[in-house]
Amino acid sequence: MKRATAVAAVAVGLLVAAVADAQVKKGRNRPVTTKQLMSGIVQPNCAAIDAAVQQAPADDKAWENLATNAALLNEISYTLVDDGRCPDADWATAVTQLRTASDAVLAKALAKDHAGLAAEFPKITESCGTCHKAHKK
């Protein structure tokens, strides 16, 4: 009886771990994978903001594009916890950091504040590092 209970406990643990791992890779109902969200939305928008930190946007259109980059990062923070995608507190914390930091970067972009942008952007990359440390294999 004890052996059957132990086997059942291990099976449940493996099932829970598999579900948590699957949630990191894909939501429950929508087809987009986390990898696709990262490569299609997070990475290009982060890279665009980083480029603007390195060299201030040259004109109003460039600042407007920068605001779009920050707004898209903010919006993706909602998707990253939606549809059963959020497996744990590390993920939730990182997404909250991303949401707060991208909102601050958006405000700096709208104000055309390059120094403020440069000060706030590392908080975005910090949020990425928080999640990657726990989840990216």
Side-chain angles (χ1 to χ4, degrees):
M1 183 70 169
K2 285 184 179 183
R3 186 167 196 264
T5 302
V7 169
V10 169
V12 168
L14 290 173
L15 179 61
V16 169
V19 169
D21 187 45
Q23 290 173 348
V24 172
K25 293 179 180 171
K26 187 175 180 205
R28 288 187 185 127
N29 300 306
R30 295 194 302 265
V32 68
T33 65
T34 301
K35 185 176 181 178
Q36 290 166 331
L37 291 172
M38 294 300 164
S39 67
I41 299 173
V42 175
Q43 194 281 329
N45 286 292
C46 240
I49 296 169
D50 185 43
V53 167
Q54 303 308 314
Q55 171 134 9
D59 55 28
D60 288 346
K61 182 67 176 166
W63 280 106
E64 189 177 306
N65 289 340
L66 179 62
T68 298
N69 299 131
L72 287 170
L73 284 179
N74 188 272
E75 189 64 26
I76 200 67
S77 73
Y78 292 93
T79 301
L80 288 170
V81 293
D82 195 23
D83 194 31
R85 193 174 297 276
C86 180
D88 59 24
D90 291 325
W91 188 283
T93 297
V95 169
T96 299
Q97 289 173 326
L98 174 61
R99 187 170 300 147
T100 301
S102 60
D103 191 46
V105 167
L106 175 57
K108 299 304 179 185
L110 292 171
K112 299 178 186 169
D113 176 359
H114 186 255
L117 173 72
E120 294 295 335
F121 178 65
K123 295 173 187 172
I124 289 178
T125 59
E126 182 181 311
S127 73
C128 298
T130 297
C131 196
H132 289 187
K133 182 178 177 185
H135 293 284
K136 191 171 181 184
K137 306 290 184 242

